[in-house]
PDB file of all heavy atoms in Angstrom:
ATOM      1  N   ASP A 240     102.642  89.270  63.068  1.00 98.00           N
ATOM      2  CA  ASP A 240     103.449  90.276  63.785  1.00 98.00           C
ATOM      3  C   ASP A 240     102.597  91.461  64.262  1.00 98.00           C
ATOM      4  O   ASP A 240     102.939  92.627  64.039  1.00 98.00           O
ATOM      5  CB  ASP A 240     104.645  90.702  62.946  1.00 98.00           C
ATOM      6  CG  ASP A 240     104.285  91.342  61.611  1.00 98.00           C
ATOM      7  OD1 ASP A 240     103.052  91.454  61.344  1.00 98.00           O
ATOM      8  OD2 ASP A 240     105.170  91.710  60.853  1.00 98.00           O
ATOM      9  N   PHE A 241     101.454  91.155  64.900  1.00 98.00           N
ATOM     10  CA  PHE A 241     100.641  92.220  65.498  1.00 98.00           C
ATOM     11  C   PHE A 241     101.452  92.900  66.600  1.00 98.00           C
ATOM     12  O   PHE A 241     102.054  92.219  67.436  1.00 98.00           O
ATOM     13  CB  PHE A 241      99.390  91.624  66.166  1.00 98.00           C
ATOM     14  CG  PHE A 241      98.309  91.243  65.178  1.00 98.00           C
ATOM     15  CD1 PHE A 241      98.132  89.911  64.820  1.00 98.00           C
ATOM     16  CD2 PHE A 241      97.458  92.202  64.647  1.00 98.00           C
ATOM     17  CE1 PHE A 241      97.134  89.543  63.917  1.00 98.00           C
ATOM     18  CE2 PHE A 241      96.445  91.838  63.768  1.00 98.00           C
ATOM     19  CZ  PHE A 241      96.288  90.511  63.392  1.00 98.00           C
ATOM     20  N   GLU A 242     101.422  94.217  66.581  1.00 98.00           N
ATOM     21  CA  GLU A 242     102.095  95.001  67.635  1.00 98.00           C
ATOM     22  C   GLU A 242     101.000  95.308  68.675  1.00 98.00           C
ATOM     23  O   GLU A 242     100.154  96.192  68.453  1.00 98.00           O
ATOM     24  CB  GLU A 242     102.640  96.271  66.974  1.00 98.00           C
ATOM     25  CG  GLU A 242     103.473  97.123  67.867  1.00 98.00           C
ATOM     26  CD  GLU A 242     103.662  98.523  67.247  1.00 98.00           C
ATOM     27  OE1 GLU A 242     103.557  98.657  66.002  1.00 98.00           O
ATOM     28  OE2 GLU A 242     103.854  99.477  68.010  1.00 98.00           O
ATOM     29  N   ARG A 243     101.016  94.597  69.760  1.00 97.00           N
ATOM     30  CA  ARG A 243      99.885  94.655  70.707  1.00 97.00           C
ATOM     31  C   ARG A 243      99.640  96.064  71.241  1.00 97.00           C
ATOM     32  O   ARG A 243      98.505  96.482  71.481  1.00 97.00           O
ATOM     33  CB  ARG A 243     100.132  93.659  71.824  1.00 97.00           C
ATOM     34  CG  ARG A 243      98.818  93.234  72.455  1.00 97.00           C
ATOM     35  CD  ARG A 243      99.002  92.131  73.440  1.00 97.00           C
ATOM     36  NE  ARG A 243      98.324  92.484  74.694  1.00 97.00           N
ATOM     37  CZ  ARG A 243      97.795  91.587  75.497  1.00 97.00           C
ATOM     38  NH1 ARG A 243      97.843  90.315  75.215  1.00 97.00           N
ATOM     39  NH2 ARG A 243      97.195  91.974  76.608  1.00 97.00           N
ATOM     40  N   ALA A 244     100.716  96.835  71.410  1.00 98.00           N
ATOM     41  CA  ALA A 244     100.589  98.183  71.968  1.00 98.00           C
ATOM     42  C   ALA A 244      99.837  99.120  71.008  1.00 98.00           C
ATOM     43  O   ALA A 244      99.385 100.189  71.407  1.00 98.00           O
ATOM     44  CB  ALA A 244     101.961  98.754  72.295  1.00 98.00           C
ATOM     45  N   ALA A 245      99.696  98.715  69.745  1.00 98.00           N
ATOM     46  CA  ALA A 245      99.022  99.584  68.771  1.00 98.00           C
ATOM     47  C   ALA A 245      97.551  99.167  68.594  1.00 98.00           C
ATOM     48  O   ALA A 245      96.907  99.501  67.600  1.00 98.00           O
ATOM     49  CB  ALA A 245      99.752  99.517  67.446  1.00 98.00           C
ATOM     50  N   TRP A 246      97.031  98.408  69.579  1.00 98.00           N
ATOM     51  CA  TRP A 246      95.636  97.955  69.532  1.00 98.00           C
ATOM     52  C   TRP A 246      94.914  98.238  70.853  1.00 98.00           C
ATOM     53  O   TRP A 246      95.552  98.169  71.907  1.00 98.00           O
ATOM     54  CB  TRP A 246      95.582  96.434  69.254  1.00 98.00           C
ATOM     55  CG  TRP A 246      95.996  96.107  67.846  1.00 98.00           C
ATOM     56  CD1 TRP A 246      97.272  96.009  67.395  1.00 98.00           C
ATOM     57  CD2 TRP A 246      95.131  95.892  66.734  1.00 98.00           C
ATOM     58  NE1 TRP A 246      97.288  95.742  66.058  1.00 98.00           N
ATOM     59  CE2 TRP A 246      95.978  95.641  65.611  1.00 98.00           C
ATOM     60  CE3 TRP A 246      93.755  95.874  66.548  1.00 98.00           C
ATOM     61  CZ2 TRP A 246      95.480  95.390  64.346  1.00 98.00           C
ATOM     62  CZ3 TRP A 246      93.242  95.596  65.285  1.00 98.00           C
ATOM     63  CH2 TRP A 246      94.092  95.373  64.202  1.00 98.00           C
ATOM     64  N   GLN A 247      93.597  98.509  70.746  1.00 98.00           N
ATOM     65  CA  GLN A 247      92.808  98.710  71.947  1.00 98.00           C
ATOM     66  C   GLN A 247      91.521  97.861  71.902  1.00 98.00           C
ATOM     67  O   GLN A 247      91.047  97.501  70.822  1.00 98.00           O
ATOM     68  CB  GLN A 247      92.372 100.180  72.073  1.00 98.00           C
ATOM     69  CG  GLN A 247      93.511 101.080  72.493  1.00 98.00           C
ATOM     70  CD  GLN A 247      93.042 102.530  72.632  1.00 98.00           C
ATOM     71  OE1 GLN A 247      91.846 102.842  72.486  1.00 98.00           O
ATOM     72  NE2 GLN A 247      93.979 103.424  72.914  1.00 98.00           N
ATOM     73  N   HIS A 248      91.026  97.567  73.093  1.00 98.00           N
ATOM     74  CA  HIS A 248      89.731  96.887  73.228  1.00 98.00           C
ATOM     75  C   HIS A 248      88.629  97.944  73.232  1.00 98.00           C
ATOM     76  O   HIS A 248      88.770  98.967  73.889  1.00 98.00           O
ATOM     77  CB  HIS A 248      89.754  96.143  74.573  1.00 98.00           C
ATOM     78  CG  HIS A 248      88.414  95.690  75.080  1.00 98.00           C
ATOM     79  ND1 HIS A 248      87.692  94.668  74.514  1.00 98.00           N
ATOM     80  CD2 HIS A 248      87.665  96.108  76.131  1.00 98.00           C
ATOM     81  CE1 HIS A 248      86.585  94.481  75.178  1.00 98.00           C
ATOM     82  NE2 HIS A 248      86.540  95.350  76.174  1.00 98.00           N
ATOM     83  N   TYR A 249      87.546  97.712  72.458  1.00 98.00           N
ATOM     84  CA  TYR A 249      86.421  98.642  72.507  1.00 98.00           C
ATOM     85  C   TYR A 249      85.143  97.806  72.513  1.00 98.00           C
ATOM     86  O   TYR A 249      85.049  96.785  71.832  1.00 98.00           O
ATOM     87  CB  TYR A 249      86.418  99.560  71.271  1.00 98.00           C
ATOM     88  CG  TYR A 249      85.228 100.478  71.262  1.00 98.00           C
ATOM     89  CD1 TYR A 249      85.137 101.559  72.134  1.00 98.00           C
ATOM     90  CD2 TYR A 249      84.140 100.213  70.413  1.00 98.00           C
ATOM     91  CE1 TYR A 249      84.005 102.371  72.156  1.00 98.00           C
ATOM     92  CE2 TYR A 249      83.009 101.038  70.439  1.00 98.00           C
ATOM     93  CZ  TYR A 249      82.953 102.101  71.301  1.00 98.00           C
ATOM     94  OH  TYR A 249      81.844 102.913  71.342  1.00 98.00           O
ATOM     95  N   THR A 250      84.150  98.265  73.303  1.00 98.00           N
ATOM     96  CA  THR A 250      82.918  97.512  73.376  1.00 98.00           C
ATOM     97  C   THR A 250      81.695  98.433  73.419  1.00 98.00           C
ATOM     98  O   THR A 250      81.805  99.564  73.939  1.00 98.00           O
ATOM     99  CB  THR A 250      82.957  96.569  74.618  1.00 98.00           C
ATOM    100  OG1 THR A 250      81.955  95.616  74.528  1.00 98.00           O
ATOM    101  CG2 THR A 250      82.837  97.316  75.908  1.00 98.00           C
ATOM    102  N   ASP A 251      80.577  98.012  72.831  1.00 97.00           N
ATOM    103  CA  ASP A 251      79.336  98.807  72.986  1.00 97.00           C
ATOM    104  C   ASP A 251      78.181  97.861  73.211  1.00 97.00           C
ATOM    105  O   ASP A 251      78.262  96.669  72.998  1.00 97.00           O
ATOM    106  CB  ASP A 251      79.116  99.724  71.772  1.00 97.00           C
ATOM    107  CG  ASP A 251      78.728  98.957  70.493  1.00 97.00           C
ATOM    108  OD1 ASP A 251      78.532  97.731  70.552  1.00 97.00           O
ATOM    109  OD2 ASP A 251      78.616  99.612  69.447  1.00 97.00           O
TER     110      ASP A 251
END
Side-chain angles (χ1 to χ4, degrees):
D240 60 1
F241 283 101
E242 186 195 334
R243 205 172 130 149
W246 289 80
Q247 286 182 5
H248 164 72
Y249 177 74
T250 194
D251 70 5

